[in-house]
Amino acid sequence: MGKADLHIHTSSSDGMFSGAELLEYVESQTDLDVIAVTEHDDVAGAMQVRERWAKGSHRFQVVTGVEVTTIEGHLLALFIEDPVPSLRPLRETIDAVKRQGGICIVPHPFTWLARGISDRHIRHAKDGLDGIEVMNSTPAGRRGRTGARRLAAELGLAEAGGSDAHFLGAVGTGYTHFPGSTPTELRNAIALLQTRGVSGRHPSLTDLGLGTVVRQTYRGITSTPRALGWGPTAWSFVRRIVAVR
């Protein structure tokens, strides 16, 4: 059985570590077989990490992805090479991912703390989704775990797990268990509903240090506006409120 952390952010977005630090940490401090780099609204960060990975010798593999901000909430797009438009309706975003052969996973569902997609909108888009993140080791991601697992089973969607790491020590604390060890085997396992989301202990405030957490929180709050503009981001919240209703 392999382990894949499908939800990681580096300093290219709002994470607190570089791509080089990520690769070294995964190699020396984890037993992960696959990692997915999923910066907010920009696939370039993942491509840069994969390029650096390709120049070295590593026992694990890298999947490129992005955490796209849709009107209804965040969506993980994995196995993609090209940018995906942000601040668009969920179904439109799913279609854009599928056109380039990617897969779609709902991260941290239900929570407003991290723009999670609601139960209603997951059901509405279920035909285009491949999985639901039932295990996310962050404080925000832990909300709604039981409901997420139940909904994945009800809708026939694969279980996924990810650390949603913004701190190096969090990488690998959430992962997807799957038969095999390669990205191709991971993708097949997702399609066959053979995956299981697993979550461990996220580093505590004491572990990380208050100053580091404050800096990351600021980076997180401003990541989408920095990438997409303050005006469009603010308007997307208005559109989301209308969509949720």
Side-chain angles (χ1 to χ4, degrees), residues 106-123:
V106 176
H108 44 65
F110 318 140
T111 177
W112 275 79
L113 295 175
R115 292 190 76 152
I117 299 176
S118 70
D119 180 292
R120 179 166 68 89
H121 287 105
I122 292 173
R123 292 177 183 277

Side-chain angles (χ1 to χ4, degrees), residues 52-83:
R52 179 179 288 273
W53 168 86
K55 293 177 179 178
S57 176
H58 304 279
R59 55 164 185 76
F60 63 92
Q61 297 188 58
V62 175
V63 169
T64 53
V66 62
E67 185 170 7
V68 189
T69 304
T70 76
I71 296 302
E72 292 87 344
H74 288 166
L75 179 72
L76 291 181
L78 304 179
F79 297 97
I80 63 169
E81 301 287 327
D82 301 316

Side-chain angles (χ1 to χ4, degrees), residues 140-226:
R142 287 196 293 267
R143 301 172 65 89
R145 283 180 177 178
T146 301
R149 177 160 274 159
R150 184 166 52 243
L151 185 61
E154 178 187 340
L155 299 182
L157 298 173
E159 286 192 8
S163 64
D164 198 357
H166 295 78
F167 307 100
L168 202 55
V171 174
T173 58
Y175 59 89
T176 302
H177 221 187
F178 68 100
S181 60
T182 69
T184 298
E185 290 168 324
L186 168 65
R187 184 163 187 160
N188 289 339
I190 289 172
L192 296 172
L193 307 185
Q194 294 175 338
T195 56
R196 183 169 62 90
V198 181
S199 185
R201 176 184 175 274
H202 187 275
S204 67
L205 178 61
T206 302
D207 296 330
L208 298 171
L210 179 60
T212 300
V213 173
V214 169
R215 290 195 299 274
Q216 193 287 313
T217 300
Y218 172 77
R219 288 176 61 81
I221 291 172
T222 61
S223 62
T224 299
R226 282 188 283 113

